[in-house]
Amino acid sequence: MSEDDEVDQDSMADEWAAAMEEQAEIDGAGEDEAAANNQGAAPMELSEFDEPAAAPASQGNNPDLDVILDIPVSISMEVGRTSITIRNLLQLNQGSVIELDRLAGEPLDVLVNGTLIAHGEVVVVNEKFGIRMTDVISPSERIKKLR
């Protein structure tokens, strides 16, 4: 890790800590107000919160989305998979070949935090490997796979 990356990570950690403290202060003030307003009131049932609140009028950028846009995620490309026994795993050495479940020339899987989001093909960009997206899975399909 370079010095710049460490400085970026440190500044990002400081920003998160400040944001968390600010949120805790807001939450604390909100709890005090709620306690004052609910003195003698009947306890709320969870079913009251089942229905989502009406979305506020669009203000251009969605402030709720802005909060998460800078969160780093892990993206990986998967060539293929296979299962082998521990006996065969222990016998692997330099030069061993493992057969995968994917045919040569098939698109790779593009995973974000372990969730399939697209398929793509390998390309070379400035002497480095890259991936060209050939099929991006719609957000609604990704949500269906999570259930």
Side-chain angles (χ1 to χ4, degrees):
M1 187 178 278
S2 71
E3 247 181 69
D4 290 338
D5 289 342
E6 289 177 19
V7 170
D8 288 345
Q9 291 292 333
D10 290 343
S11 66
M12 187 181 305
D14 292 342
E15 289 176 17
W16 273 104
M20 295 297 284
E21 286 176 18
E22 183 178 320
Q23 186 63 41
E25 290 172 8
I26 291 170
D27 290 345
E31 289 173 5
D32 293 342
E33 285 180 25
N37 291 337
N38 284 333
Q39 288 178 350
M44 295 181 143
E45 294 293 323
L46 289 178
S47 61
E48 294 177 37
F49 297 105
D50 288 344
E51 294 295 320
S58 178
Q59 303 169 358
N61 287 341
N62 186 345
D64 295 335
L65 186 59
D66 289 342
V67 173
I68 65 168
L69 290 178
D70 293 328
I71 296 174
V73 295
S74 175
I75 186 167
S76 59
M77 291 10 124
E78 186 174 278
V79 176
R81 292 181 181 207
T82 195
S83 294
I84 62 173
T85 63
I86 293 175
R87 179 182 322 282
N88 290 341
L89 177 65
L90 293 173
Q91 293 173 351
L92 293 175
N93 55 39
Q94 187 173 355
S96 296
V97 176
I98 301 172
E99 185 177 345
L100 301 176
D101 63 351
R102 185 137 333 157
L103 297 173
E106 262 189 89
L108 305 179
D109 291 340
V110 179
L111 306 162
V112 173
N113 287 346
T115 302
L116 179 68
I117 61 140
H119 298 286
E121 58 189 24
V122 177
V123 295
V124 177
V125 180
N126 296 329
E127 299 181 16
K128 293 184 180 182
F129 286 117
I131 189 160
R132 176 181 297 124
M133 305 292 192
T134 57
D135 179 35
V136 178
I137 297 172
S138 71
S140 60
E141 287 297 317
R142 283 181 252 162
I143 291 171
K144 284 180 188 175
K145 288 183 179 185
L146 292 175
R147 293 182 180 172

